[in-house]
Amino acid sequence: MQVMQRWLAHMLWPVSCPICGAVAELACDCCLRSLFRPQLSRCLWCGELAPCKVHKGDRARIRSGAVYEGVMKDLILMLKYARYEAVGFRMGEALGKTLTRPEADVLVPVPLHLRSPRRYNQAEAIARGLESAWDIEVWNAARWAEDVPSRAGMGAAERLSLSSAAFAFDGDVAGLRVAFVDDVCTTGATLSRLARAAQNHGAEVVGAFTAAHIPPIY
Ligand SMILES: [Zn+2]
Ligand SMILES: [Zn+2]
């Protein structure tokens, strides 16, 4: 876009790319694309680097597009706390161009906690972008069944103690190939519990996708 056009657009729609500052861009495609590259995948069932020793025969992985640090961390915090929902969609689109499309029937976002004050689900915002990139439908099929405290203040042991019964499904996921979506993967425990719950409901779990991850320490 020409500079004059950018300025005209900026007068009408005063936003700028939070990464490079270009006006009239919510977040530039090239900026977003430059933030993503495929990370080492993790086993969806235990969170260890894949292939793990325990779940050798299973191909369900957690795939992330970036490390949770720097600009990526700022973007995700904006998405979560600054009502920058449209950034989530753009992130999802860029993530979808970075990672290989799964053979899935539906993308299921990790649901918001029951008492979350947020107006929208940041995982769903990212999933909508993936839906656009991959042409796989988003389905908000999962919800928290119990009033489980927010993960934010939890230690690893507490996170792991979350049971698959913590999730319920609105609608029948039986027989569907399901992939999960979240903003950040920390230990993988929430995704693992959600995946087990879906499996208990008869779904075929094909994997999980997150914009960023905190790499395991070895
Ligand atoms: Zn930019
Ligand atoms: Zn494993």
Side-chain angles (χ1 to χ4, degrees):
M1 210 192 290
Q2 296 300 310
V3 174
M4 198 59 205
Q5 285 174 306
R6 278 180 182 274
W7 275 107
L8 282 171
H10 187 65
M11 301 300 275
L12 297 168
W13 192 42
V15 292
S16 54
C17 171
I19 303 164
C20 70
V23 295
E25 289 279 1
L26 199 56
C28 301
D29 268 335
C30 56
C31 282
L32 285 171
R33 288 288 297 275
S34 73
L35 293 176
F36 288 120
R37 55 183 55 83
Q39 304 292 307
L40 291 175
S41 64
R42 289 156 77 163
C43 171
L44 179 54
W45 307 112
C46 68
E48 299 286 322
L49 279 177
C52 78
K53 288 179 184 150
V54 182
H55 309 97
K56 271 182 204 149
D58 199 295
R59 298 177 59 81
R61 305 279 160 84
I62 303 170
R63 298 181 193 279
S64 305
V67 175
Y68 185 60
E69 63 183 12
V71 175
M72 178 54 62
K73 187 173 177 179
D74 292 344
L75 277 177
I76 287 173
L77 292 175
M78 272 171 67
L79 171 62
K80 281 168 94 160
Y81 300 110
R83 296 185 191 163
Y84 226 140
E85 186 175 6
V87 164
F89 180 86
R90 300 292 293 275
M91 286 171 71
E93 278 187 322
L95 183 66
K97 289 170 189 164
T98 306
L99 302 180
T100 306
R101 181 189 187 279
E103 289 301 316
D105 299 311
V106 287
L107 299 173
V108 175
V110 171
L112 281 181
H113 280 270
L114 292 175
R115 285 200 209 140
S116 174
R118 286 185 209 142
R119 290 196 187 168
Y120 62 86
N121 180 358
Q122 73 278 1
E124 184 188 344
I126 293 168
R128 294 283 172 202
L130 289 173
E131 176 179 53
S132 160
W134 288 341
D135 195 24
I136 301 174
E137 191 183 339
V138 172
W139 187 20
N140 285 301
R143 62 181 164 81
W144 290 88
E146 301 159 10
D147 208 353
V148 182
S150 163
R151 286 169 288 167
M154 282 190 190
E158 277 178 291
R159 287 167 195 255
L160 284 169
S161 74
L162 287 174
S163 85
S164 61
F167 290 103
F169 287 86
D170 295 322
D172 193 4
V173 290
L176 289 179
R177 296 170 301 173
V178 175
F180 299 100
V181 181
D182 207 356
D183 52 350
V184 182
C185 172
T186 305
T187 62
T190 300
L191 286 168
S192 165
R193 296 301 178 272
L194 185 52
R196 281 179 211 284
Q199 212 174 43
N200 291 343
H201 282 78
E204 183 190 336
V205 174
V206 299
F209 297 87
T210 71
H213 75 151
I214 294 168
I217 298 161
Y218 290 101

